[in-house]
């Protein structure tokens, strides 16, 4: 599944800017993909892109209408439907990461069939993945692993990719979640893959490449998060990373969604992830630490990062605050 | 999904006794479930059960015809079909672990609908499992983990269950694979569960129970097997085991299906599995070692087991050769 670019970003009637997280991700990380935005009455999100009608976007070359906003109550409203059906009629494919699938809407499915357009529901795999064979692939791979879920793994990988491209390095962000897939137009929705094929899906996602090419594989879950650790394990063993980045959010009180579970230390994460990664790649190294310091003042963040850096002997940065340059410096040494 | 017992075991035209592995498992571990066997012309397997027609089995109380034999070439032959269709007409449910699903056979599906009978395809989940919540459940749990796949984890758990029942202990084997599900009539086909729900499926499989009750959860894969390690991880974190049994096959040259991968040591397995298990259950202990010594002479096996026992300071037995009593002794101490 590859989603055809460029996109028209559908912001619908977003009730606040946060609801348009997917659109914001595309705007931030793949601005070239976004020719414009489509906003309905009452929309409170704004990507600072040209507002376009479907016809204007078509004329500007847009191929896919991407639903860049969460819907309310898991229902695709009649108002949305009108736009989506018209978009199909006008020759757009549709792409969505909504829980309720486009393909399950009878009208959208029928119009897509009649017009020959594609409905990309990125929450469900569209590929029959193989069972992992564990064979060494050419090229290099970096994986972000976290002390917990939602600590900035995707952001870290995207920030590193951008920095690497700016330096003329060969690098590809490899999406493993819905948002990442919509941002970049392809990937594996790993949490929806059948257990036996998880590691194989990651191998499929990160095939042989040039010896100096880096795949930046989007991490998921955490080895220490009992709900999702199996997915993280498959990323480590299917990904065969040469380099690991440790990701952390220092103000979190307990594992996300698990009030009874404290967070591991960065040292625990380093030791466990490295041991597991070396099963698949004995040369794997931990090269740096990415800390989400959003909840800290600039001063607190600097002090915290300096402390981690000293303690762990590895570059520790918040890529959102300070850029990913030092993480890329470390990667370039591998 | 619970398969109604007792069973009539369908051996079909098994070309050799090994093809009837599922039937043999039921015969060995749930003899009360098997009222008889149904053999077709040319069948070379024999469970030493009464040969019965469908009518005789019905009269003897059989509720489900279990396909206890692998088919050839992944096709359900016309000869099998005749028996299966007649069985549905006679009021039997059908249960199968075949790769090609009963439900995908139009004739079987139609007859099952018309007669109100059930088709149990145990390779595919029939339950919408929750996401794991990591909450502590009452009762105790034992999980077998292996240095590799197919080292005797299911056999170990079933042998322990039998020994525990003989001692009047409360114990339930909890199946996580197709063969185990067919043997015991229920369970979770974990390798076919969607990634996000693996650990939740294991929680579902092993709910609250009496404080002195043991679930013996069937292990899958290996933490060191890069193709399937994610499944093993979900068992460890969803299972919250109080006790681990380490399983090993000492003559294996490389990880099953992965020629480039050597086996870990029992010490490696102990340390890694225990560390991971303690994320979900800080009191987890490794209590014993189960070694598949089928490829060794009696003398070699005894010497090997004595060596492991001394080295590891844990009871080390081959439950097939010497019974599971010493593993259960160890469990009873937890």
């Amino acid at each position: 599944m590859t989603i055809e670019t460029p996109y028209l970003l559908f912001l619908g009637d977003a009730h606040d800017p946060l609801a348009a997280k997917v659109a914001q991700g595309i705007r931030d990380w793949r601005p070239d993909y976004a020719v414009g935005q489509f906003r309905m009455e009452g929309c409170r999100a704004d990507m600072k892109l040209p507002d376009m009608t479907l016809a204007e976007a078509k004329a500007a070359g847009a191929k896919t209408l991407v639903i860049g906003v969460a819907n309310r109550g898991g229902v695709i409203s009649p108002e949305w439907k009108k736009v989506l059906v018209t978009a199909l009629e006008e020759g757009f494919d549709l792409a969505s990461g909504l829980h309720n699938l486009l393909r399950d809407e009878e009208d959208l499915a029928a119009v897509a069939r009649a017009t020959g357009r594609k409905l990309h529901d990125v929450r469900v795999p569209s590929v029959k993945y193989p069972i992992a064979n564990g064979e060494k692939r050419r090229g290099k791979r970096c994986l972000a692993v976290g002390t917990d879920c939602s600590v900035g793994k995707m952001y870290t990988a995207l920030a590193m990719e951008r920095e690497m491209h700016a330096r003329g390095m060969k690098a590809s962000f490899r999406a493993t979640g819905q948002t990442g897939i919509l941002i970049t137009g392809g990937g594996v929705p790993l949490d929806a893959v059948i257990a036996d094929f998880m590691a194989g899906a990651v191998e499929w996602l990160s095939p042989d490449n040039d010896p100096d090419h880096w795949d930046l594989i989007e991490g998921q879950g955490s080895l220490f998060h009992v709900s999702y650790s199996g997915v993280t394990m498959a990323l480590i063993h299917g990904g065969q990373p040469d380099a690991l980045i440790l990701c952390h959010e220092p103000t979190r009180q307990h594992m996300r969604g698990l009030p009874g579970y404290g967070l591991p230390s960065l040292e625990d994460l380093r030791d466990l992830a490295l041991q597991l990664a070396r099963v698949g790649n004995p040369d794997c190294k931990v090269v740096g630490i990415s800390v989400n310091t959003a909840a800290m003042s600039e001063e607190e963040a600097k002090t915290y990062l300096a402390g981690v850096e000293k303690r762990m002997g590895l570059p520790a940065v918040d890529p959102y605050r300070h850029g990913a340059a030092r993480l890329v410096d470390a990667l370039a040494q591998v």
Side-chain angles (χ1 to χ4, degrees), chain A:
Chain A
M1 171 198 62
T2 308
I3 304 170
E4 274 205 85
T5 57
Y7 304 150
L8 174 63
L9 302 185
F10 177 78
L11 305 186
D13 45 2
H15 50 293
D16 66 48
L18 273 180
K21 194 176 79 164
V22 166
Q24 192 64 54
I26 295 168
R27 178 73 182 90
D28 288 348
W29 297 109
R30 293 292 188 270
D32 295 354
Y33 287 4
V35 301
Q37 62 187 11
F38 185 103
R39 300 196 291 168
M40 291 162 55
E41 202 162 303
C43 179
R44 296 203 190 125
D46 183 2
M47 298 300 124
K48 312 288 184 198
L49 290 167
D51 283 296
M52 290 186 176
T53 63
L54 293 171
E56 286 165 349
K58 195 78 198 163
K63 300 272 196 290
T64 303
L65 181 77
V66 174
I67 300 186
V69 61
N71 57 343
R72 302 186 209 186
V75 174
I76 299 179
S77 69
E79 292 72 29
W80 281 32
K81 274 286 181 65
K82 269 188 228 169
V83 180
L84 302 184
V85 167
T86 311
L88 288 169
E89 299 280 2
E90 302 272 338
F92 289 89
D93 292 339
L94 303 183
S96 159
L98 299 179
H99 274 286
N100 44 332
L101 306 183
L102 299 175
R103 71 180 67 167
D104 289 343
E105 303 289 319
E106 274 183 42
D107 43 0
L108 294 180
V111 177
R113 267 196 308 275
T115 56
R117 304 320 316 165
K118 291 201 181 107
L119 302 179
H120 295 286
D121 284 302
V122 303
R123 276 196 186 264
V124 283
S126 57
V127 171
K128 195 170 152 30
Y129 303 112
I131 286 182
N133 63 26
E135 286 172 20
K136 184 83 186 153
R137 284 104 75 196
R138 290 190 305 281
K140 293 189 250 192
R141 283 153 197 90
C142 175
L143 175 67
V145 291
T147 50
D148 193 3
C149 302
S150 308
V151 291
K153 296 185 293 290
M154 183 182 83
Y155 189 98
T156 301
L158 284 164
M160 289 177 71
E161 184 201 41
R162 174 168 291 170
E163 174 71 19
M164 292 169 85
H165 286 171
R167 296 186 189 188
M169 295 171 74
K170 295 181 196 167
S172 306
F173 173 79
R174 300 295 189 183
T176 62
Q178 287 80 14
T179 306
I181 294 171
L182 286 172
I183 290 175
T184 59
V188 168
L190 193 58
D191 62 9
V193 171
I194 285 176
D196 248 4
F197 304 98
M198 294 185 298
V202 181
E203 290 187 349
W204 175 92
L205 179 67
S206 175
D208 274 331
N209 214 317
D210 296 342
D212 58 344
H213 177 277
W214 281 95
D215 271 340
L216 300 158
I217 302 173
E218 182 190 356
Q220 295 293 338
S222 165
L223 292 169
F224 296 87
H225 195 296
V226 295
S227 310
Y228 308 116
S229 54
V231 178
T232 314
M233 186 73 142
L235 278 159
I236 291 177
H237 280 168
Q240 290 184 352
D242 303 277
L244 295 172
I245 306 281
L246 310 181
C247 297
H248 187 51
E249 204 285 71
T251 68
R252 197 158 298 178
Q253 297 300 307
H254 59 74
M255 297 296 283
R256 191 172 163 90
L258 303 176
Y261 288 81
L263 266 75
S265 68
L266 280 163
E267 285 85 345
D268 288 342
L269 174 62
R270 174 194 63 200
D271 295 345
L272 179 58
L274 197 57
Q275 182 188 358
L276 292 171
R278 285 182 172 167
V279 171
N281 184 350
D283 298 328
C284 184
K285 292 182 180 62
V286 175
V287 300
I289 299 165
S290 173
V291 181
N292 178 347
T293 64
M296 295 172 149
S297 71
E298 179 69 22
E299 175 99 5
E300 284 172 329
K302 280 193 171 157
T303 306
Y304 180 83
L305 289 166
V308 168
E309 186 149 336
K310 193 170 170 204
R311 210 176 84 208
M312 309 276 296
L314 290 165
V317 302
D318 181 339
Y320 186 82
R321 270 188 145 125
H322 311 119
R326 295 185 58 228
L327 297 177
V328 172
D329 291 345
L331 207 60
Q333 306 296 315
V334 176

